[in-house]
Amino acid sequence: MESTAEKISPLGLMTAILKGVKLEHSNGSAEAIAPEIVLRILENKDLMSMVTTCMAVLFGFVVFLIWKRTNGLAKKKNIDPPQTMIVKPKLEEEEIDDGKKKVTIFYGTQTGTAEGFAKSLAEEAKARYPQAKFKVVDLDDYAADDEEYEERMKKETLVFFFLATYGDGEPTDNAARFYKWFAEGKERGDWLKNLQYGVFGLGNRQYEHFNKIALVVDNILAEQGGHRLVQVGLGDDDQCIEDDFSAWRESVWPQLDTLLLDGDDVSTTTPYTAAILEYRVVFHDHKDEISENGVANGHAVYDAQHPCRVNVSVKRELHTPLSDRSCTHLEFDISGTGLSYETGDHVGVYSENLLETVEEAERLLNMPPQTYFSIHTHKEDGTPLGGSKLPPPFPPCTLRTALTRYADLLGAPKKTALVALATYSSDPHEADRLRHLASPAGKEEYAQYVVAGQRSLLEVMSDFPSSKPPLGVFFAAVAPRLQPRFYSISSSPKFAPTRIHVTCALVYEKTPTGRIHKGVCSTWMKNAIPSEESQDCSTAAIFVRNSNFKLPFNSKAPIIMIGPGTGLAPFRGFLQERLALKESGQELGPAILFFGCRNSKMDYIYEEELQNFVKQEVISELVLAFSREGPAKEYVQHKMAERASDLWKMISNGGYVYVCGDAKGMARDVHRTLHTIVQEQGSLDNSKTESFVKNLQMTGRYLRDVW
């Protein structure tokens, strides 16, 4: 007997099932779907087949997901990788008053040295003064805004600052917000009258603004009521900054003895010996599925802790075959990464050690390159190792990868590294010699052997071959982490929105020991393989650091650019941007560029581009100085003096002055020449000239990008 059930389409029935609604018959009656639904499915063969197939596919997909999850979890148990990137902890909003005296140690660091000194002071202080509480704080983490900086600082009673100065007397990236608030903010009177403090600066005496940041902060602290416990320490990285820190630290202890020890306890402090840092190392039989590139992509913001790995797209030599030197033009492809930049910014580049350097390190460590391992900052039970001084671990990888990407092998070894090497020397004579070099008694010998001799870590290890530190010690206490190199970006996003251009001179120098020092990053760039030549191209982890080295907002303002050699880099970006502005219909003001090199036939970089910028009226005048062509050496500052009248006119009409290049020589000479031009052309005395030039700097009309 044929059913009289009303037919419906398979699509309509499936829709009803999924929505869980009632089916309405043509007569308008509505019945619950449950009693009738099974009958309709059974009678409709097409629908029955479709439902059965869907159920089978769904069941199979669920089984696959369960299997994949179980398998993935099983694989993850093979290795417990350390966290690649650090999430900086937030400071407590309110600390519980436990009755202990509190000491806060701040640091502003660019390469990690200031942070290391701050933690070193804290570790020894904790041993000397267990009745006090010491906290090491990144200045960038201390407060979210100016108001919070002031609110928190008011509550401090005993603090120490470790502040590095870099570039043209600038604060480090993590101290920039604090410095701007503290040094350039409002007048506050003697609001720090309850504060006792000490400041240690890290700088290089070869630079014009030696330890400027530390000196400024020290003076302001005193002016605003703070009580200076010790004289500001002036660490000089041109010599042995560890000795400077040690001497300053020794001046701190008597002051803290008075403040933190009871009268009966002053003489009971025991000598402190710093422990040798060491990671916990786990060796693995096979590689895990963790990437070895050591960087994390996909972050909303890229920075030094979260760089972006990108391809090298273009590479070309900028010097002619007649030159005995080298300068590389490199382009990083940032398309699709979310990474962006502005004209005048800097790019930080994490490069790699040369294979020959890595192989030498492998030989000295006496370990096979394919040794696969991971490093950890905690014991197996989860308790931390080495206090807070251990650098963050890198991802699990082979020894070759670790030495290639993460270890600074060519820098001068610190004294703490010599102590660690001595500890693991099997030859007693070598161990004694290393300890002596690291001791106060061996200060002069260290200065001659390491500093004056410009010996690298690998050279020292080669001189003391019996030292074979384990990997946990080598990467924690002997070889510092390889730091990014910074370059002025030589392009404009208006011209190259998906590329970051870099202009890099090759570092290739003979040291006093006869070793040829090859710059890590410049050599890597020279040897890089671009994607335009091979799909197996070179890659690098990079990030952008913002700069205030910018063109005037008013495109009609006169600009003066001085950039010899690779100092031309940011001005190439400036000129690309001015060309884009001109093509968009904006009016450009007068612009003069002073460029210098040795010989027009050897190292005149970007010559054709510069000549085209002149033809396109992007610059009014290109002034060239070739120091090796004439009978006498001629540099950009000499050309500036010849154009003194024109430069003074441009400055008087609201012009901007930009200088980029070597801070130790060129920038000083250019500054003196600018001072002379202002004084003579403006008929000013020395005091008014100083004020005039200072005002140019304070108002952002005299900017320098120097290194």
Side-chain angles (χ1 to χ4, degrees):
M1 182 176 179
E2 186 175 335
S3 172
T4 58
E6 187 174 329
K7 300 287 185 183
I8 64 172
S9 70
L11 179 61
L13 184 56
M14 289 301 296
T15 302
I17 292 171
L18 292 171
K19 291 183 177 180
V21 300
K22 297 179 179 179
L23 293 176
E24 186 171 320
H25 292 276
S26 57
N27 61 9
S29 64
E31 297 176 0
I33 191 171
E36 188 178 8
I37 196 69
V38 176
L39 179 61
R40 297 213 178 176
I41 293 175
L42 293 174
E43 288 181 346
N44 192 320
K45 294 182 179 179
D46 292 339
L47 182 58
M48 186 66 183
S49 176
M50 183 176 70
V51 171
T52 303
T53 301
C54 289
M55 292 299 293
V57 171
L58 181 60
F59 179 76
F61 183 65
V62 171
V63 170
F64 172 76
L65 286 178
I66 294 173
W67 172 84
K68 185 173 179 64
R69 178 176 176 80
T70 303
N71 190 51
L73 289 173
K75 285 185 177 180
K76 287 181 181 178
K77 291 177 183 177
N78 291 332
I79 193 169
D80 182 20
Q83 293 296 318
T84 304
M85 299 303 166
I86 308 167
V87 178
K88 294 179 179 178
K90 296 292 183 183
L91 295 178
E92 307 87 30
E93 290 299 324
E94 293 293 337
E95 293 185 358
I96 299 173
D97 186 1
D98 54 7
K100 289 187 174 183
K101 296 179 181 178
K102 295 177 176 59
V103 183
T104 304
I105 303 174
F106 299 104
Y107 66 86
T109 191
Q110 198 69 25
T111 64
T113 305
E115 179 181 3
F117 285 165
K119 291 179 176 178
S120 179
L121 180 73
E123 291 294 320
E124 183 168 354
K126 288 175 184 176
R128 285 174 172 266
Y129 314 106
Q131 68 275 39
K133 185 176 181 180
F134 295 84
K135 181 172 61 177
V136 179
V137 179
D138 182 327
L139 277 167
D140 200 38
D141 291 339
Y142 187 60
D145 52 35
D146 291 358
E147 184 178 338
E148 190 176 2
Y149 270 125
E150 186 164 343
E151 180 184 341
R152 284 184 176 275
M153 196 62 69
K154 282 179 181 177
K155 299 176 182 178
E156 301 287 355
T157 57
L158 182 53
V159 301
F160 291 95
F161 288 89
F162 288 84
L163 300 169
T165 299
Y166 86 99
D168 193 29
E170 299 169 13
T172 59
D173 292 349
N174 75 309
R177 284 196 307 115
F178 165 80
Y179 186 76
K180 183 175 180 61
W181 162 74
F182 193 63
E184 303 172 13
K186 62 184 180 182
E187 293 292 332
R188 302 180 184 87
D190 60 351
W191 68 296
L192 297 176
K193 58 186 177 182
N194 296 322
L195 181 70
Q196 295 174 299
Y197 74 91
V199 178
F200 182 80
L202 298 87
N204 188 307
R205 203 174 291 276
Q206 294 294 320
Y207 288 83
E208 181 178 351
H209 300 288
F210 176 58
N211 271 314
K212 173 188 171 183
I213 304 303
L215 290 167
V216 169
V217 170
D218 179 75
N219 287 332
I220 294 176
L221 286 167
E223 289 171 0
Q224 298 186 357
H227 172 65
R228 183 186 291 116
L229 291 176
V230 292
Q231 287 299 310
V232 59
L234 300 177
D236 183 10
D237 194 43
D238 193 49
Q239 295 299 315
C240 182
I241 199 169
E242 285 179 289
D243 286 343
D244 298 328
F245 167 61
S246 296
W248 178 84
R249 180 178 54 190
E250 290 307 309
S251 71
V252 169
W253 303 135
Q255 302 300 322
L256 291 186
D257 285 349
T258 302
L259 295 171
L260 302 179
L261 292 178
D262 294 331
D264 296 336
D265 297 332
V266 173
S267 61
T268 62
T269 54
T270 56
Y272 174 79
T273 301
I276 295 174
L277 296 179
E278 181 174 7
Y279 291 110
R280 177 172 64 90
V281 175
V282 179
F283 294 97
H284 308 282
D285 294 332
H286 59 85
K287 291 187 179 182
D288 193 71
E289 294 179 351
I290 297 173
S291 170
E292 286 189 355
N293 63 19
V295 294
N297 289 319
H299 289 266
V301 177
Y302 294 111
D303 55 23
Q305 287 74 42
H306 304 92
C308 177
R309 186 161 288 279
V310 297
N311 290 336
V312 173
S313 55
V314 175
K315 183 195 76 173
R316 70 174 187 268
E317 174 61 50
L318 294 175
H319 285 190
T320 72
L322 296 174
S323 175
D324 60 354
R325 297 174 300 129
S326 175
C327 185
T328 302
H329 170 87
L330 206 73
E331 298 181 17
F332 292 112
D333 184 359
I334 60 172
S335 57
T337 64
L339 187 64
S340 62
Y341 71 100
E342 295 180 3
T343 306
D345 282 347
H346 303 140
V347 60
V349 181
Y350 286 98
S351 60
E352 299 179 350
N353 286 307
L354 273 173
L355 178 59
E356 63 189 56
T357 303
V358 172
E359 289 177 336
E360 174 69 2
E362 292 166 355
R363 183 186 67 79
L364 292 168
L365 290 170
N366 195 28
M367 293 195 70
Q370 296 310 311
T371 302
Y372 199 80
F373 69 103
S374 58
I375 56 175
H376 305 262
T377 56
H378 292 76
K379 299 177 183 178
E380 291 186 35
D381 62 5
T383 57
L385 291 166
S388 59
K389 292 177 65 178
L390 278 171
F394 46 77
C397 60
T398 63
L399 177 60
R400 174 152 295 183
T401 296
L403 293 172
T404 299
R405 293 185 171 175
Y406 306 119
D408 184 353
L409 304 173
L410 298 180
K414 296 181 179 180
K415 290 190 173 183
T416 51
L418 299 186
V419 173
L421 290 174
T423 304
Y424 292 94
S425 294
S426 56
D427 184 330
H429 298 291
E430 290 187 6
D432 288 344
R433 172 69 174 154
L434 284 165
R435 289 192 181 94
H436 175 71
L437 286 170
S439 70
K443 178 178 179 179
E444 293 303 320
E445 291 174 70
Y446 177 89
Q448 287 300 314
Y449 175 70
V450 176
V451 180
Q454 298 178 26
R455 281 179 170 83
S456 68
L457 170 62
L458 292 189
E459 280 186 287
V460 172
M461 290 180 66
S462 182
D463 286 348
F464 298 88
S466 77
S467 180
K468 295 288 184 280
L471 292 185
V473 172
F474 180 77
F475 287 105
V478 177
R481 198 59 55 85
L482 192 59
Q483 296 294 320
R485 271 54 171 179
F486 289 97
Y487 297 91
S488 302
I489 296 177
S490 57
S491 57
S492 166
K494 286 184 170 60
F495 176 83
T498 62
R499 301 281 179 87
I500 287 179
H501 295 191
V502 172
T503 307
C504 175
L506 178 67
V507 176
Y508 188 89
E509 303 166 338
K510 192 172 184 178
T511 68
T513 63
R515 173 178 66 93
I516 299 299
H517 174 69
K518 301 175 182 179
V520 174
C521 200
S522 63
T523 303
W524 178 85
M525 287 189 179
K526 182 174 177 59
N527 296 334
I529 301 172
S531 60
E532 65 179 5
E533 294 180 8
S534 171
Q535 290 185 343
D536 187 22
C537 62
S538 300
T539 66
I542 69 171
F543 61 96
V544 171
R545 185 174 69 187
N546 294 330
S547 166
N548 63 352
F549 201 74
K550 306 294 182 187
L551 281 169
F553 181 76
N554 178 8
S555 64
K556 292 186 285 186
I559 61 172
I560 301 162
M561 298 168 283
I562 303 107
T566 54
L568 174 62
F571 301 132
R572 180 174 180 263
F574 278 18
L575 299 182
Q576 289 178 356
E577 179 138 332
R578 281 173 62 88
L579 177 59
L581 292 173
K582 186 174 187 293
E583 290 177 343
S584 69
Q586 291 196 40
E587 183 181 347
L588 301 181
I592 183 168
L593 170 63
F594 292 88
F595 172 73
C597 62
R598 292 185 180 182
N599 189 292
S600 60
K601 300 293 190 293
M602 296 181 182
D603 55 350
Y604 184 177
I605 62 176
Y606 302 117
E607 177 181 3
E608 186 177 345
E609 289 186 25
L610 293 179
Q611 297 298 339
N612 285 333
F613 284 132
V614 175
K615 293 177 183 177
Q616 294 165 312
E617 299 182 343
V618 175
I619 45 178
S620 315
E621 188 176 4
L622 173 62
V623 182
L624 302 171
F626 301 116
S627 62
R628 302 291 196 275
E629 286 194 0
K633 291 184 178 181
E634 195 169 44
Y635 297 107
V636 286
Q637 61 267 24
H638 301 131
K639 294 295 185 180
M640 288 175 62
E642 293 175 4
R643 300 292 199 286
S645 177
D646 295 334
L647 297 184
W648 175 246
K649 182 178 180 181
M650 294 175 74
I651 293 170
S652 300
N653 290 332
Y656 288 67
V657 181
Y658 299 90
V659 181
C660 182
D662 169 45
K664 299 176 184 178
M666 181 277 299
R668 287 182 176 182
D669 293 336
V670 166
H671 182 81
R672 282 193 287 265
T673 302
L674 178 63
H675 188 281
T676 300
I677 290 172
V678 170
Q679 185 169 11
E680 294 180 353
Q681 296 295 317
S683 301
L684 304 175
D685 61 28
N686 192 60
S687 176
K688 290 183 179 179
T689 300
E690 289 285 354
S691 298
F692 186 94
V693 174
K694 184 69 174 178
N695 183 63
L696 288 178
Q697 292 175 312
M698 295 297 292
T699 56
R701 289 177 52 206
Y702 176 24
L703 297 170
R704 309 201 308 176
D705 181 4
V706 299
W707 55 84

